[in-house]
Amino acid sequence: MLKKFIINGVENNSILDEMEVEAGDILLSINGMAVTDILDYRYLIADDTLVVEIKKPDGEIWELDIEKEYEEDLGVTFPEEMIGTKTCKNNCIFCFIDQLPSGMRDSLYVKDDDERLSFLTGNYITMTNLTPDELNRIIRYRIMPMNLSIHTTNPNLRIKMLKNRFAGDVMSYLTTFYDNGIAMNGQIVLVPDFNDGIELEKTLHDLKALYPVLQSVSVVPVGLSNHRKGLEKLRLFSQDDALKTLDIINSVHDEMEKKYDNGFVYPSDEFFLLAQSPIPESIYYSGFPQIENGVGMMADFKASVKEALQTINVRKTDSPLKITAIKIGILTGTAAYDYLGNLVDAIKTELPFLDLTVFPIINHFFGEAITVSGLLTGSDILTQMKPRLDKNPCDLLLLPENALRSGTSTLLDDWTLETLGEALNVTIHSIPVQGEDLLQALLDK
C-alpha cells in the first residue's frame, strides 16, 4: 500500500496551485511511486512528464498529467514527517554541540546526521546510522555529492573518537560510493594527539586513492569552548602543531596538484592563522570546493576585494564617485582581525575618503579559544562595542552574515541586528563574506 502524505500547503502560481490542488489534499504517488520523504519527492519530480495521484478530502482521486521543465518544482509545502531530521547516534569527543552553554534555543542542541540534509543543505554525515536501504537509495537515485565526516580511516581510532562501536567501517561506505560513482566531499576534524600526525598521513594516503569520485577533503582544527565539563580532555593546536599539520597536508596537496591539477586536500583558514603562515592565493584551492566549510574563505575574500577595487577604479575614470562621509565599523572574530585589517588598509589606499575601522570581538560567550566570526554573539558585540562607540561613535556597523542564522537577522544567542542596533544606538547591517559586497555596502552609504 502506498504511503500517503497530507499536503501542508501549495505555493501561489505553482503547477499544483494552477491545477487546484490545496492544503489538506493527500499526495498518493508520483509516476506510481510512493513518496516516503523529501528525497523521494525531489528524485521523482526530476522529469518533464509526471503522473501525480492526489486524493481529495471527500475521497475523490485525481490523476494529474503534468508536463513541465525538468527541474521545475510542483510547489508542495512538506509536512514535518516528510522532512524530519535523523539525529546523531555518536558521542564524538570533539562535538561542538556538547560544548554549548545552557539556555540557548532548542534547535541549536539538535545533532543531525541525516543523509538527506547532506544532499539538500550540504551538512556532513558520519554514515554510522545509514541503513542498507538508505545506502541503496542514494546509489539508485544518484544522490550526490555526499558530504561525509571521515575524521580517520583507522577503524579502531574512529570508534574511539566517535564513541560508537559501529563507526569503524568508514572505508566500506567510502568504497561503496566510489565503486558506484557517487561523488563525495570529505571532512576531517583534527584533534591533537588523536588523528593528527602519522594518523593524518595514513588517512590522507587512503583517501587520495578514491579521487576523483572523492572530490575534495577539508581538514579543520577542533574547536574547544569553555563549556566542556565532564567531556574528554582535549587541547588546542599550538603554532608548532599547526606548522607540522600544514606540512602533512601540503605534501599530499602538492602531489595531487602535480598529478591531477587539483589540490584535493585543503586545510581550513584557521590552520594558516594558527601557524602564522601566509594565506595562499586563490589558485591553491582549485575552485574552492569547500569554501562553505571555512576553507579558502579568506583567500577568496582577498581576491574579490582586489577585483572589486579594479572595477571601482574603472568607474572612477568614467564618472566621479559621490560618497557621503560617514564612519563605518567592520566587526570580525579575533582570528581574522589582522588579515581583514590589512585588506581594509588596501581599500583605504584606493578609496581614502572612506573612514573605516575593524573591530575584533573576543568570544567570551563560548570562550576565547573560539575566534571565528561565524560564532560571534550579540551579547559579546554589545559589551565590547558599547564603550568603543560611546567614545568614538560610528554611523554604521557591518557584520559578516555567517554570524547569523541562515535567512534571518538573528545571532546565536537570539539577539537580532535590530535589537542590537537599538542597544548600541547604531545601524547594523549584515554582508556576505565577499569583497564586492563589502565595497558595495561601503559605497552605497
Side-chain angles (χ1 to χ4, degrees):
M1 181 177 178
L2 294 178
K3 191 171 183 178
K4 300 180 293 185
F5 286 102
I6 298 174
I7 295 173
N8 272 13
V10 179
E11 296 175 3
N12 290 335
N13 302 316
S14 65
I15 292 174
L16 290 185
D17 181 42
E18 294 177 356
M19 303 188 84
E20 300 184 0
V21 174
E22 300 172 318
D25 293 348
I26 296 173
L27 174 61
L28 294 178
S29 67
I30 298 175
N31 286 343
M33 300 289 291
V35 183
T36 61
D37 63 15
I38 192 170
L39 275 192
D40 283 332
Y41 174 82
R42 293 291 184 207
Y43 173 78
L44 292 171
I45 67 168
D47 207 339
D48 50 12
T49 59
L50 303 176
V51 177
V52 177
E53 194 174 25
I54 298 290
K55 184 176 181 180
K56 304 296 285 186
D58 63 4
E60 183 180 2
I61 304 296
W62 287 9
E63 190 173 274
L64 307 176
D65 293 311
I66 296 173
E67 294 186 4
K68 66 179 188 65
E69 297 295 327
Y70 183 81
E71 295 183 350
E72 189 177 2
D73 198 277
L74 298 181
V76 172
T77 301
F78 299 100
E80 180 61 30
E81 62 268 27
M82 285 184 72
I83 303 173
T85 297
K86 287 173 60 180
T87 55
C88 185
K89 297 179 180 178
N90 308 309
N91 190 24
C92 299
I93 61 172
F94 49 81
C95 180
F96 197 76
I97 294 176
D98 288 339
Q99 305 178 61
L100 296 178
S102 59
M104 303 177 72
R105 60 180 178 271
D106 290 344
S107 61
L108 293 176
Y109 300 97
V110 176
K111 300 180 185 181
D112 68 78
D113 197 17
D114 195 321
E115 79 280 359
R116 298 169 300 176
L117 295 180
S118 177
F119 169 67
L120 295 169
T121 64
N123 291 18
Y124 283 76
I125 62 168
T126 66
M127 299 162 282
T128 55
N129 65 0
L130 195 61
T131 68
D133 284 344
E134 290 164 344
L135 180 62
N136 290 332
R137 183 171 69 162
I138 290 170
I139 294 168
R140 180 173 70 251
Y141 287 178
R142 314 296 297 165
I143 297 169
M144 57 185 178
M146 296 299 298
N147 296 308
L148 309 174
S149 291
I150 298 169
H151 310 311
T152 178
T153 56
N154 179 332
N156 292 330
L157 178 58
R158 196 168 193 264
I159 289 170
K160 179 180 180 181
M161 292 185 68
L162 274 60
K163 292 188 177 180
N164 184 333
R165 64 190 178 94
F166 300 108
D169 57 353
V170 59
M171 284 303 295
S172 173
Y173 285 103
L174 297 179
T175 302
T176 298
F177 287 138
Y178 177 83
D179 290 342
N180 287 277
I182 301 299
M184 302 171 277
N185 292 300
Q187 179 195 64
I188 297 171
V189 175
L190 209 63
V191 183
D193 311 318
F194 282 84
N195 59 338
D196 60 339
I198 294 174
E199 290 293 345
L200 177 60
E201 290 180 2
K202 177 190 180 302
T203 295
L204 295 181
H205 175 78
D206 292 340
L207 295 181
K208 69 183 182 181
L210 302 176
Y211 181 83
V213 180
L214 179 58
Q215 300 172 341
S216 68
V217 176
S218 62
V219 185
V220 302
V222 62
L224 303 180
S225 82
N226 285 350
H227 307 275
R228 291 191 55 82
K229 186 177 180 180
L231 300 179
E232 184 110 16
K233 290 185 178 180
L234 304 178
R235 68 177 181 88
L236 295 168
F237 279 93
S238 67
Q239 181 182 3
D240 188 55
D241 293 329
L243 285 167
K244 290 177 180 177
T245 297
L246 287 177
D247 284 344
I248 292 170
I249 293 170
N250 283 331
S251 175
V252 177
H253 176 281
D254 294 347
E255 174 193 344
M256 298 296 281
E257 177 71 37
K258 183 176 181 180
K259 190 173 182 178
Y260 298 110
D261 198 28
N262 186 296
F264 177 65
V265 58
Y266 311 94
S268 71
D269 295 353
E270 294 160 89
F271 273 114
F272 293 104
L273 298 173
L274 287 168
Q276 297 181 28
S277 296
I279 299 291
E281 297 299 321
S282 297
I283 194 171
Y284 174 90
Y285 295 96
S286 305
F288 298 99
Q290 295 208 36
I291 194 167
E292 298 300 328
N293 208 17
V295 179
M297 189 174 289
M298 296 176 77
D300 184 58
F301 185 69
K302 178 182 177 181
S304 62
V305 165
K306 182 178 180 180
E307 183 178 351
L309 284 173
Q310 291 173 340
T311 302
I312 287 170
N313 284 330
V314 170
R315 285 171 53 196
K316 286 165 65 177
T317 62
D318 295 335
S319 60
L321 291 171
K322 296 180 180 180
I323 306 296
T324 302
I326 64 173
K327 295 182 68 173
I328 299 174
I330 302 173
L331 306 177
T332 185
T334 56
Y337 171 63
D338 289 336
Y339 189 81
L340 184 57
N342 290 333
L343 287 180
V344 166
D345 287 343
I347 292 172
K348 290 163 71 173
T349 297
E350 294 294 330
L351 305 172
F353 48 78
L354 291 175
D355 189 349
L356 303 177
T357 304
V358 180
F359 294 105
I361 303 298
I362 299 171
N363 200 321
H364 297 300
F365 189 89
F366 291 111
E368 293 184 14
I370 304 301
T371 60
V372 295
S373 63
L375 292 174
L376 293 179
T377 59
S379 57
D380 280 333
I381 294 172
L382 176 63
T383 56
Q384 293 171 56
M385 288 305 299
K386 184 116 182 40
R388 292 168 174 168
L389 295 177
D390 286 344
K391 187 175 181 179
N392 294 296
C394 285
D395 300 295
L396 173 69
L397 293 180
L398 298 176
L399 177 71
E401 68 177 8
N402 62 356
L404 304 176
R405 186 173 16 161
S406 179
T408 75
S409 64
T410 305
L411 289 98
L412 284 169
D413 58 349
D414 285 340
W415 279 88
T416 67
L417 295 186
E418 293 76 19
T419 55
L420 187 58
E422 290 174 5
L424 290 171
N425 193 31
V426 66
T427 299
I428 306 177
H429 290 168
S430 66
I431 56 169
V433 187
Q434 285 289 324
E436 57 266 32
D437 292 298
L438 171 60
L439 289 179
Q440 192 63 54
L442 297 176
L443 296 175
D444 280 349
K445 306 308 169 194

